[in-house]
Amino acid sequence: MKLADQTVTSFVDLMGSDAPAPGGGSAAALEGALGAALTAMVCALTQGKKKYAEFAELTAGVGEKAQALKAQYVDVIDRDTEAFNAVSAVFSMPKETDEEKAARSAAMQEALKGCTKTPFEMMELAVKALELTDSIVGKSNTSAASDLGCAALSLKAAIQGAWLNVLINIGGLKDQAFADQYRKNGEALLAKALPLADSIYEKVLASL
């Protein structure tokens, strides 16, 4: 069964077991899905309310995009664990001959790149989701303002958790150009996302 199809109880029980996966990467993806879902929910709660009629078009569009980001995050929950499993599988490869050792090393490098790409994707999704969330602060149902703050916190956790997973994987790469590029791009995403998440939280806090 896919991780995303499990009950909340079974998912967290598996995460709390001695199984190495799902781990922090899938947890970060789940945080992102929750953040995007909360933003979509606030948009839905704003629709049809006369008080927010002027923002109906905005919240309808943001809600649709947030739902799409939520779906992408749910998809990456499993893909991140699959990427980790590819790394684990390398350890069972033979390593008796020089050829086998070379093949094993090459497979590990490719697997680590795969484990870098999925959390980096989560980071990109988080920036998009935070921008959507920010766009409706003060323009959506005030009764659900706290949910936007929670969305920002979830998305901040998602991008920071994903970043840790990017770092631990590029640390084992021999392809320095690949590692440097992902580090540079990841830092740029963080520089955009973290202040934005904090700003959303502070604006929501001030409104309560």
Side-chain angles (χ1 to χ4, degrees):
M1 178 187 290
K2 292 177 64 176
L3 293 172
D5 292 335
Q6 294 189 18
T7 65
V8 172
T9 300
S10 61
F11 182 87
V12 297
D13 283 348
L14 179 58
M15 188 163 284
S17 72
D18 61 358
S26 289
L30 177 58
E31 283 282 10
L34 292 172
L38 282 167
T39 297
M41 181 193 78
V42 174
C43 289
L45 292 174
T46 304
Q47 294 295 298
K49 302 289 193 302
K50 289 183 180 180
K51 184 178 179 181
Y52 309 105
E54 64 179 301
F55 305 122
E57 185 176 349
L58 169 66
T59 53
V62 169
E64 184 177 343
K65 292 175 182 177
Q67 290 284 10
L69 290 173
K70 179 200 69 178
Q72 288 177 272
Y73 262 125
V74 169
D75 177 63
V76 84
I77 289 173
D78 279 279
R79 288 195 289 108
D80 185 79
T81 292
E82 289 165 5
F84 175 82
N85 289 338
V87 170
S88 297
V90 174
F91 291 105
S92 64
M93 293 178 65
K95 52 179 180 179
E96 300 302 319
T97 67
D98 288 342
E99 289 78 8
E100 289 175 343
K101 290 177 181 177
R104 192 172 187 266
S105 177
M108 177 59 78
Q109 290 299 304
E110 284 305 305
L112 287 174
K113 286 183 177 180
C115 275
T116 300
K117 292 175 181 178
T118 48
F120 184 80
E121 180 181 341
M122 296 176 211
M123 296 181 72
E124 293 178 312
L125 294 175
V127 171
K128 293 178 182 178
L130 283 165
E131 289 174 340
L132 289 177
T133 304
D134 186 56
S135 73
I136 60 168
V137 174
K139 301 174 183 178
S140 50
N141 195 325
T142 55
S143 297
S146 59
D147 297 300
L148 287 183
C150 290
L153 292 172
S154 289
L155 292 165
K156 183 178 181 182
I159 194 167
Q160 288 184 302
W163 177 234
L164 293 177
N165 280 269
V166 169
L167 290 176
I168 198 169
N169 288 300
I170 63 175
L173 288 175
K174 296 178 181 178
D175 187 341
Q176 199 58 50
F178 181 98
D180 289 345
Q181 189 64 51
Y182 272 82
R183 182 183 294 275
K184 177 183 176 181
N185 292 345
E187 289 174 345
L189 291 173
L190 282 175
K192 181 183 296 186
L194 298 186
L196 185 55
D198 289 340
S199 173
I200 294 168
Y201 180 80
E202 291 300 328
K203 284 187 286 188
V204 168
L205 191 62
S207 73
L208 299 178

